[in-house]
Amino acid sequence: MPPDKICKTVRQYNKEPIAKEDMRRLLEVAEDCRCVKNYVYSRFGGPGSLSKIYPGYTVQNEMTASGYREKLGLPSVYFYLAVFDALGDIKGRWTKTKSKLARLVGGNENFTADEKHYLRFALKVNTVFDAALNRKPVELPEKMRNRYEELAGRVDTERLHKYLCRQARRYHGKLHTDTADGFSIAERAYRYGDHGIYLSVKEKRKRIYVPLTDNNRYESRLKVRLYPAEDRLELLVPVYVTIRPHGDYREQVGVAFGFHTMLTTDGGHGYGTELGRRQLEYSDWIREQTASYNRNRAQKPGRKKYSAGKRRREEGLHSYINRELNRFFASEKPKTVYMAKLPPPGAGGIDKRINYSLGQWQRGYIRKRLEQKCGERGVELIRVLGKDIGRECSRCGARGEKRDGKFRCLACGYQEEEKTNAARNVKKRGQGS
C-alpha cells in the first residue's frame, strides 16, 4: 500500500430481496469454501507445516495436487481465495500462540536472563521456532548463524526447545469453522452492470444478478456476507483512500473511554454523552426479545424480524458513534491523540442491567473507528499503558479514590471528574511526563 494511502472498508447492499434459488446457489459456494478452509486448517495448521505457510505457495501447490477442488466442483476463483483466507487464519493463530508463549517466558522466574533472551529469539525467528517444534537442526543464513550460535552457546537449547514444544501443544488450538455465511470473490468472478452486480456460482458460465442500492463500481477482491434469513447480502470492499492531513490540527489530546460517555478529553470535553443510554436501551431490547423467544421456543418462532430489528438498532448506534467521533475531530483538531488500551470485557458491578449491557458495549467498534479516522486525517494515535490510570492523581501522581463519577486525591486533595482525570493521565504517560 502506498505510504500516502490508507485502506478502508466500503459496504454495498442488495436493493431487493434475493430470490431463494439465488441464495441457495450462493450458500452452496459458501459451504464449499468452508470445507476448503477446514481442509487447509486440518492439513497445514500444525507445527509440521510451519515451513510451508510462509509465504504459502507450497500450500497452494499441494492443494492443487490434492484434487480437492475437482472433488467439490468449486471454481478456482473461489477455491484459491478460500485457501489463502485459511492460511491467513493459520498465520494469525500462530501469532497469538507466539504472543502467549512470549508472555509465559517473561513471567517465568525459573529462566535466567540468557534463557529468556534465547527463547525470545526463537519466537521471533520462524526458522528457529520451526526447528524447535519439529526437533530439526537449526539452519540459518551465515549472518544470523553467528548471532544464533552466540546465544545458543550460553544455554541448554534442547531443554528450551522441549519447553516450547510443551507450551505450543498446550496453547495452540486447532482451527475449525462451522459457519458458511460468506466467501471471498476475485475480480474474475463478478461484474458490475445494470445498477447491480453479477456473481459467479458453481454452474459453468452462470451468474446471478443482484441489484444494489448504489451504482458504485470497484475493482478489487470483495468479501460477500450472506444473510439467508433476511434474504439479503452485504459486499465488503477494500478501498484505498488518500490521507488528507489537516494543517490546522495542532493539539495534543489525551482521551479516556467510558460506557456512559463514549470519549472524554483531558480538557474535560465529553463526546458521545448519550452512548450509555442508547446502549442500555439496545441491551434491554435484546434481553426482552431473547426472553420472548425462549418462552415461545416450542412454537419454533422465526428470527427474521428480530435480526432485522437488531441490525437497525446496531446501525443506529454505529451512526451515532461516527457522528460523535467526527465532532471530536472538528472541535479538538488533534495533531496527536493519546489513548489507553481499552479494558477487556468484564463484570460491570452489582447492577445486573449494567452487567448485561457491558456485553453490548461497542468498545471494539469505537477503537477501530477512531484508528480509521486518525489514519484518514494523518493524526498520530499513541497507545499508552492503562493500568491504574483512573486511580492515579493527574496533579501529583498519588493514588486516589473514585466515587459517584468523581476522583479525589488522598494526598493533595485534588478533585476532578474521573474520566477527565484519567484522560490527563493518559496524556501525561503518552508524553513521558
Side-chain angles (χ1 to χ4, degrees):
M1 182 169 59
D4 62 337
K5 292 185 180 294
I6 187 171
C7 183
K8 64 183 295 185
T9 300
V10 174
R11 287 172 167 78
Q12 292 185 295
Y13 305 94
N14 56 298
K15 187 175 183 180
E16 301 171 3
I18 297 176
K20 298 295 184 184
E21 180 61 22
D22 289 343
M23 181 61 76
R24 183 192 65 77
R25 292 177 176 177
L26 293 173
L27 287 171
E28 198 175 48
V29 173
E31 173 60 22
D32 282 359
C33 288
R34 182 191 74 85
C35 292
V36 172
K37 292 174 74 172
N38 283 334
Y39 187 88
V40 175
Y41 293 154
S42 63
R43 186 167 173 177
F44 302 101
S49 297
L50 272 169
S51 61
K52 298 179 180 179
I53 63 175
Y54 299 98
Y57 297 113
T58 302
V59 174
Q60 180 184 10
N61 293 335
E62 289 191 18
M63 287 297 294
T64 300
S66 71
Y68 196 58
R69 185 181 77 82
E70 290 75 11
K71 178 181 176 181
L72 293 173
L74 187 64
S76 60
V77 289
Y78 293 124
F79 180 79
Y80 290 110
L81 286 183
V83 169
F84 280 101
D85 281 346
L87 273 177
D89 295 337
I90 292 172
K91 292 175 183 178
R93 176 57 62 90
W94 275 117
T95 298
K96 289 182 179 179
T97 300
K98 288 181 179 180
S99 297
K100 175 65 177 180
L101 298 187
R103 290 194 296 271
L104 291 174
V105 169
N108 193 323
E109 297 179 355
N110 295 322
F111 288 134
T112 65
D114 284 339
E115 288 173 331
K116 289 185 177 182
H117 195 176
Y118 177 84
L119 287 169
R120 291 190 180 107
F121 180 85
L123 289 169
K124 185 176 181 181
V125 180
N126 289 326
T127 307
V128 180
F129 187 65
D130 176 27
L133 265 57
N134 292 291
R135 306 294 180 90
K136 300 187 302 186
V138 176
E139 297 180 359
L140 291 169
E142 184 176 351
K143 184 177 180 180
M144 293 187 67
R145 183 76 191 177
N146 295 334
R147 176 60 175 158
Y148 171 77
E149 290 177 350
E150 178 186 348
L151 293 173
R154 304 174 190 167
V155 298
D156 182 350
T157 58
E158 184 177 356
R159 182 175 73 87
L160 297 182
H161 287 186
K162 287 181 179 179
Y163 171 82
L164 289 176
C165 286
R166 290 196 305 272
Q167 301 306 324
R169 284 196 301 268
R170 182 176 182 183
Y171 293 106
H172 187 69
K174 293 183 179 179
L175 285 167
H176 182 83
T177 178
D178 292 320
T179 58
D181 58 358
F183 51 87
S184 296
I185 182 170
E187 293 177 57
R188 289 187 297 150
Y190 69 84
R191 176 176 63 83
Y192 283 101
D194 304 321
H195 302 286
I197 188 170
Y198 292 87
L199 302 174
S200 295
V201 291
K202 291 182 65 175
E203 301 169 51
K204 289 185 178 181
R205 302 184 182 278
K206 294 286 186 181
R207 294 191 178 192
I208 65 169
Y209 171 68
V210 179
L212 299 174
T213 54
D214 63 64
N215 200 30
N216 297 330
R217 301 186 179 200
Y218 302 97
E219 295 180 359
S220 62
R221 171 178 166 180
L222 311 181
K223 176 73 175 179
V224 181
R225 284 185 180 170
L226 304 174
Y227 301 89
E230 304 168 39
D231 301 325
R232 72 181 186 93
L233 61 70
E234 191 176 69
L235 301 177
L236 281 68
V237 188
V239 176
Y240 296 102
V241 296
T242 302
I243 298 173
R244 301 185 182 280
H246 294 254
D248 57 338
Y249 280 24
R250 300 187 180 91
E251 303 300 323
Q252 306 281 317
V253 182
V255 299
F257 298 95
F259 177 80
H260 293 287
T261 297
M262 179 183 74
L263 184 150
T264 303
T265 70
D266 61 285
H269 306 143
Y271 299 89
T273 55
E274 293 184 10
L275 183 63
R277 177 184 63 78
R278 290 170 180 256
Q279 289 184 136
L280 285 172
E281 290 176 353
Y282 175 54
S283 61
D284 285 346
W285 181 83
I286 290 180
R287 188 169 59 249
E288 291 168 3
Q289 294 295 316
T290 302
S292 174
Y293 178 79
N294 290 334
R295 285 194 302 269
N296 300 287
R297 187 183 293 270
Q299 285 73 41
K300 297 182 179 180
R303 301 288 276 175
K304 186 173 182 178
K305 186 176 179 181
Y306 164 77
S307 298
K310 182 181 179 186
R311 186 179 77 253
R312 286 197 305 272
R313 285 166 174 80
E314 192 166 87
E315 287 175 351
L317 264 178
H318 291 175
S319 178
Y320 176 73
I321 289 168
N322 281 296
R323 286 200 307 272
E324 289 300 293
L325 286 175
N326 289 339
R327 192 167 69 87
F328 161 74
F329 283 103
S331 301
E332 302 294 330
K333 299 187 181 336
K335 179 180 180 181
T336 305
V337 174
Y338 302 95
M339 62 171 278
K341 295 179 180 179
L342 286 175
I350 60 174
D351 190 329
K352 291 184 178 179
R353 186 182 179 216
I354 295 292
N355 285 349
Y356 185 85
S357 301
L358 280 171
Q360 314 302 326
W361 186 11
Q362 304 291 311
R363 58 164 72 79
Y365 183 78
I366 294 169
R367 175 184 58 80
K368 287 191 292 186
R369 294 307 297 160
L370 179 62
E371 290 174 351
Q372 181 73 34
K373 290 178 182 293
C374 281
E376 291 173 4
R377 292 166 171 79
V379 175
E380 183 181 19
L381 180 62
I382 297 177
R383 299 168 185 79
V384 303
L385 181 65
K387 185 177 181 181
D388 293 329
I389 206 160
R391 297 188 179 277
E392 183 180 295
C393 177
S394 59
R395 175 182 288 175
C396 71
R399 189 175 179 84
E401 62 179 9
K402 298 188 294 183
R403 182 178 299 173
D404 299 326
K406 297 290 184 181
F407 171 85
R408 184 174 71 87
C409 180
L410 302 177
C412 69
Y414 173 71
Q415 296 187 51
E416 184 55 87
E417 195 276 327
E418 65 170 279
K419 292 299 179 184
T420 303
N421 178 71
R424 290 174 181 170
N425 282 327
V426 169
K427 184 176 179 179
K428 286 176 64 178
R429 290 188 185 184
Q431 294 178 333
S433 56

